[in-house]
Amino acid sequence: MTDALVKSALQHWAPRLVAQGVSLTDFEEVTAALGGWNDWCAGWSARGAVHEQLGRDALAHGKTLSAGEHLQRAGVYYHFAKFLFVHDRAQMKAAHMKAVECRRLALPHLTPPGERVAIPFEGKTLYGILRKPPGPARPPVMVMICGLDSCKEEMDAYEVPYLARGIATLVFDGPGQGEGEYDFPIRGNYETAVTAVLDVVAARSDLDAGRIGLWGVSLGGYYAPRAAAFEPRVKACISLSGPYDFSDCWDGLPELTREAFRVRSHAATPAEGKRNAATLSLKGGVAARITCPIFIMTGKLDRVVPFQESERLAREVKGPCELLIVEDGGHVANNRGYRWRLQAADWMAERLGAG
């Protein structure tokens, strides 16, 4: 069983790990050494510790540029140690806190640097990372929404193309995600969290709150259009391999994904998890409320969220829509990132008047 879970993780997410910053040699060595799924978190944490120590050594010697790169990479490794490891929550959370710590240490030394942002939300706090491109005093900003098993510590590779085009990035952990998963369960009405984030953007003098884009990946590919349907401050939206209705996808999801959703939606049983999945839907006229320009990308070989979910969203939105189906792409087409990552960044830059 555990070997089957490792095999499933590699079949579904191997391209993602490498695309997001894991060294190919590290990927091959760590996964080859795993005895089973129970070893996943410890194996990736141990390799993350190698990169963390390199970063701390660089800091101690004043090599801040190198430190930022090493610590950023360490955060990615610790993130992937925990991303679906929900059956051992103590081990998962320990790896998660190391991911948060490493990226926090890296932020001042990245190019461009980043800052940790607190977002008041329903009496508690969500956290995000803001990075601003060099140059404009008030750049447009793209709010980035993670998925079921991603969080802000993974996002550097996604941020860079937008920063290079003069767009600030604000990635945050919402309900059921990253630092938000402990206090808040996954929710279908994710626009409540996005509204809180946009309020923070509006209160800052160093961002142009009149030019806000929204970006979401995987389950975030549902959250972003959902929020765009209800938030008039969103000027453009990107949806990457998101479900139109998550309950329609439920029975075909990998076991690891269903269990992660159960845990992060704070459901006691698989049946309750499936009922929670039904609350994540763009049915009932929600998709038709989307009038801002939207870029939708999916992989035709996606075995997590079928590409037909993106097609349905594209049919029902009322604003300008560009649908890109990567014929040989898997989930989020991470195996063919060169077919869409830069194209999506160019699309958003045009819509926000960046560059």
Side-chain angles (χ1 to χ4, degrees), residues 239-255:
S239 172
L240 306 171
S241 289
Y244 176 94
D245 185 286
F246 201 47
S247 63
D248 289 346
C249 306
W250 185 262
D251 291 338
L253 292 172
E255 178 184 345

Side-chain angles (χ1 to χ4, degrees), residues 92-145:
M92 180 195 78
K93 189 170 184 179
H96 181 204
M97 292 301 100
K98 291 295 288 184
V100 172
E101 178 185 8
C102 285
R103 192 160 203 220
R104 180 183 60 79
L105 289 172
L107 287 178
H109 312 300
L110 299 179
T111 306
E115 66 175 278
R116 184 171 167 88
V117 176
I119 302 156
F121 183 67
E122 296 183 355
K124 296 183 179 180
T125 306
L126 301 174
Y127 292 97
I129 291 172
L130 172 66
R131 297 174 74 186
K132 295 179 294 182
R138 296 180 69 246
V141 59
M142 190 173 69
V143 174
M144 305 183 75
I145 303 174

Side-chain angles (χ1 to χ4, degrees), residues 287-318:
R289 293 175 59 105
I290 301 171
T291 58
C292 70
I294 186 168
F295 180 97
I296 303 169
M297 189 287 300
T298 185
K300 199 165 189 177
L301 304 182
D302 192 333
R303 294 183 297 158
V304 180
V305 177
F307 73 93
Q308 291 90 346
E309 297 286 296
S310 292
E311 288 186 320
R312 183 169 183 184
L313 173 60
R315 286 196 302 269
E316 295 190 15
V317 300
K318 297 304 182 186

Side-chain angles (χ1 to χ4, degrees), residues 33-272:
L34 298 175
W37 180 246
N38 287 334
D39 301 327
W40 180 277
C41 189
W44 281 108
S45 293
R47 192 58 58 99
V50 173
H51 294 281
E52 179 186 1
Q53 190 58 53
L54 288 169
R56 291 184 181 276
D57 289 346
L59 274 182
H61 289 88
K63 307 299 183 184
T64 56
L65 190 62
S66 295
E69 184 171 335
H70 287 308
L71 290 165
Q72 164 63 37
R73 183 174 290 111
V76 170
Y77 282 52
Y78 284 123
H79 163 69
F80 282 122
K82 65 81 63 175
F83 82 133
L84 289 167
F85 206 74
V86 296
H87 74 287
D88 186 336
R89 296 189 210 180
Q91 195 177 164
M92 180 195 78
K93 189 170 184 179
H96 181 204
M97 292 301 100
K98 291 295 288 184
V100 172
E101 178 185 8
C102 285
R103 192 160 203 220
R104 180 183 60 79
L105 289 172
L107 287 178
H109 312 300
L110 299 179
T111 306
E115 66 175 278
R116 184 171 167 88
V117 176
I119 302 156
F121 183 67
E122 296 183 355
K124 296 183 179 180
T125 306
L126 301 174
Y127 292 97
I129 291 172
L130 172 66
R131 297 174 74 186
K132 295 179 294 182
R138 296 180 69 246
V141 59
M142 190 173 69
V143 174
M144 305 183 75
I145 303 174
C146 303
L148 170 63
D149 52 54
S150 56
C151 58
K152 63 189 183 303
E153 284 69 40
E154 183 191 339
M155 291 292 121
D156 178 72
Y158 283 136
E159 295 162 0
V160 167
Y162 298 90
L163 293 164
R165 287 159 177 77
I167 302 172
T169 59
L170 176 51
V171 59
F172 74 103
D173 292 333
Q177 301 168 310
E179 291 186 82
E181 71 185 80
Y182 308 107
D183 290 332
F184 300 101
I186 289 171
R187 60 175 66 187
N189 62 336
Y190 196 91
E191 65 273 12
T192 56
V194 171
T195 292
V197 175
L198 300 195
D199 288 345
V200 169
V201 171
R204 296 184 65 115
S205 61
D206 58 347
L207 299 173
D208 186 347
R211 293 187 292 162
I212 297 175
L214 206 54
W215 175 104
V217 62
S218 193
L219 197 55
Y222 158 80
Y223 293 142
R226 169 79 194 200
F230 294 96
E231 249 299 347
R233 291 177 288 184
V234 174
K235 303 305 181 186
C237 179
I238 292 175
S239 172
L240 306 171
S241 289
Y244 176 94
D245 185 286
F246 201 47
S247 63
D248 289 346
C249 306
W250 185 262
D251 291 338
L253 292 172
E255 178 184 345
L256 289 167
T257 299
R258 286 198 302 270
E259 182 62 5
F261 184 89
R262 181 192 71 77
V263 170
R264 290 174 180 148
S265 69
H266 298 192
T269 65
E272 185 182 350

